[in-house]
Amino acid sequence: MFPKSKSGKFGTFALCFLSGALAGVLAAGPALAAHDSEGDDLAEYEGRVVAKEGLVLRTGPSTEFRAIGLKEYGSVVGISCRLNGQLVEDNPVWYKLSDASYVWSSTRDIVNEGAEPRWC
């Protein structure tokens, strides 16, 4: 019905290429931001793991989030900030660590070394 232009294939290719490039940039943005040089400044607070069994690292501030690691007893962790999450043992406070993982904060599990972390 409409006449095809000779540049039709190039236009389609360019559109697909640009769409893919944009999707790649959008997907990589958060990962790049997490490894930005400013990320090191986020660990202005520190805590020491005092839980004998260690401290479970999670992808979010709830036990519903996936466990991604463990910090052993005596480990020092960089804390970016604290936030309210799932209530655990009547305590909703979770710490966001400098590596972007989350841990539930309890004086039985982690002790601040220095100032109390700021709220996120």
Side-chain angles (χ1 to χ4, degrees), residues 54-65:
L55 202 57
V56 177
L57 304 177
R58 298 193 175 273
T59 58
S62 164
T63 58
E64 298 295 318
F65 283 92

Side-chain angles (χ1 to χ4, degrees), residues 48-56 70-77 108-111:
R48 183 172 303 276
V49 177
V50 294
K52 297 290 183 191
E53 66 280 355
L55 202 57
V56 177
L70 181 77
K71 289 291 185 182
E72 294 181 0
Y73 174 81
S75 299
V76 175
V77 294
R108 293 184 312 251
D109 293 341
I110 188 169
V111 175

Side-chain angles (χ1 to χ4, degrees), residues 89-104:
E89 297 180 15
D90 295 325
N91 178 4
V93 180
W94 287 69
Y95 289 146
K96 181 176 181 182
L97 301 184
S98 58
D99 66 358
S101 63
Y102 294 82
V103 295
W104 178 65

Side-chain angles (χ1 to χ4, degrees), residues 1-97:
M1 178 175 233
F2 294 101
K4 283 191 168 180
S5 69
K6 292 181 182 180
S7 63
K9 288 183 181 177
F10 177 76
T12 302
F13 172 77
L15 180 61
C16 289
F17 177 79
L18 291 174
S19 296
L22 179 60
V25 167
L26 292 175
L32 292 174
H35 292 87
D36 190 52
S37 61
E38 290 181 17
D40 297 336
D41 295 336
L42 293 177
E44 56 190 274
Y45 307 100
E46 287 187 343
R48 183 172 303 276
V49 177
V50 294
K52 297 290 183 191
E53 66 280 355
L55 202 57
V56 177
L57 304 177
R58 298 193 175 273
T59 58
S62 164
T63 58
E64 298 295 318
F65 283 92
R66 185 170 49 98
I68 55 172
L70 181 77
K71 289 291 185 182
E72 294 181 0
Y73 174 81
S75 299
V76 175
V77 294
I79 302 171
S80 297
C81 56
R82 60 186 164 146
L83 67 155
N84 284 328
Q86 176 190 12
L87 191 66
V88 179
E89 297 180 15
D90 295 325
N91 178 4
V93 180
W94 287 69
Y95 289 146
K96 181 176 181 182
L97 301 184

